[in-house]
Amino acid sequence: MSSPAIAPLSGDRNQNPVSPVEDSHHRGRAASALARVGTYLTSRPAASLATIGRSARLAGNVLRYCVTDTIAMKLPVREVIEQMWILLKVTALPALLMAVPIGAEVSVQVGGIMNQVGANSLAGAASGLGVVGQGAPMAAGLLMSGAAASAIASDLGARSIREEIEAIRVMGIDPVQRLVVPRFLAMIAIAPILCIVIIAAGVAAGLTISANVNDVVPGSFWQSFGAFATPTDLAFSVLKSVIFAAMVVIIAGLRGLEAKGGPTGVANAVNASVVLSVFCIFVANLVVSQLQLMFFPARLA
């Protein structure tokens, strides 16, 4: 008689033993992935710090040339005026188009709540606190980061890939002094203009909607606006726009001067300029707003 076949154990049915070669291959892939992660975590912070350092050096050179050229009366006034006109052409009309919805939205949203509580006379306070305090400088900053930063980065980046920047250095001319300083001064000059234009258009839109939709008396609108919107708020609003303008020019100038790799490098420089400018504007707005609340708390005028 033949002995019955011994059935395999249930635990051994689904076992698929891994060969030593496959096991070493998996271990090698895991070690390679961990090495790439470690390299990324160590190189990225160093690259970010290096970028911050180059930006600080560029900002210092720009400020130094602004002071020395002003004292020596060597400022390129004509170039500054031309850059002001170019930047105003790409930002003035969008500023008006952005200001009207901002003022209208503040009036509509706040007006509905004030109608429910019977405080229509405070409609001007909403425009003063919303448009003057936050809406106008942020709108001006986003416009400068979107339109002006892309224009500056594309112009300088195109010069970089055509090796014009290196040619300027060979001739003994600093490209920062020749190209970045006029754009810096032009942006600093137009930033308050954009902020004031946005404030005027936004408040006018808020007044129009409050008077025609929410039945607010224009006199009460202006009374509450003047009570809550102080000259300090206007000064900080203009100060924010100037700070945003300086950051936009420094970031766009650095990315444009360092553009490499042909048209793709110019596109990457423009993209990085816009993204970094928007991020820095939000952070700077938070910091300046907190400092304003700390040293100049809100109160009735």
Side-chain angles (χ1 to χ4, degrees), residues 10-290:
S10 60
D12 295 336
R13 292 177 181 176
N14 298 325
Q15 286 185 353
N16 187 14
V18 180
S19 64
V21 177
E22 293 179 351
D23 182 62
S24 62
H25 179 66
H26 291 316
R27 291 178 182 273
R29 292 180 60 183
S32 177
L34 290 176
R36 288 196 299 269
V37 172
T39 303
Y40 180 85
L41 293 177
T42 54
S43 63
R44 280 300 174 181
S48 300
L49 291 176
T51 303
I52 294 174
R54 295 195 304 273
S55 301
R57 183 174 61 186
L58 177 61
N61 291 333
V62 169
L63 294 177
R64 176 170 61 88
Y65 282 126
C66 288
V67 174
T68 56
D69 290 352
T70 301
I71 295 175
M73 301 181 66
K74 294 181 179 180
L75 282 178
V77 179
R78 182 175 180 179
E79 178 71 15
V80 172
I81 295 175
E82 291 179 357
Q83 291 298 323
M84 286 178 60
W85 175 243
I86 293 173
L87 295 176
L88 276 176
K89 285 194 300 184
V90 299
T91 55
L93 181 59
L96 288 175
L97 297 178
M98 286 184 65
V100 174
I102 290 174
E105 183 178 1
V106 171
S107 296
V108 169
Q109 295 292 333
V110 179
I113 299 176
M114 290 182 176
N115 282 332
Q116 296 178 8
V117 300
N120 289 338
S121 60
L122 296 178
S127 295
L129 297 177
V131 176
V132 178
Q134 298 295 330
M138 286 299 297
L142 294 177
L143 277 175
M144 290 184 290
S145 64
S150 60
I152 294 173
S154 61
D155 183 19
L156 297 180
R159 294 173 184 266
S160 297
I161 65 172
R162 293 197 302 263
E163 298 183 355
E164 291 183 15
I165 303 299
E166 296 299 328
I168 291 175
R169 290 194 177 100
V170 170
M171 290 187 295
I173 302 174
D174 192 344
V176 175
Q177 183 182 14
R178 179 64 182 85
L179 300 175
V180 180
V181 170
R183 289 162 175 80
F184 179 83
L185 295 176
M187 187 74 81
I188 293 297
I190 70 169
I193 299 175
L194 289 177
C195 186
I196 297 300
V197 167
I198 294 174
I199 290 175
V203 173
L207 173 61
T208 302
I209 291 181
S210 297
N212 297 322
V213 177
N214 298 327
D215 296 329
V216 177
V217 179
S220 64
F221 179 93
W222 288 117
Q223 183 179 6
S224 60
F225 177 85
F228 284 88
T230 63
T232 302
D233 296 326
L234 179 60
F236 269 94
S237 180
V238 174
L239 176 63
K240 287 180 183 179
S241 64
V242 172
I243 294 174
F244 298 161
M247 292 190 304
V248 166
V249 176
I250 295 302
I251 294 172
L254 180 67
R255 290 299 178 180
L257 293 175
E258 295 181 353
K260 296 178 181 179
T264 304
V266 178
N268 292 333
V270 173
N271 183 36
S273 300
V274 174
V275 173
L276 291 175
S277 298
V278 171
F279 173 76
C280 293
I281 283 171
F282 276 99
V283 175
N285 180 69
L286 175 62
V287 173
V288 176
S289 297
Q290 291 300 319

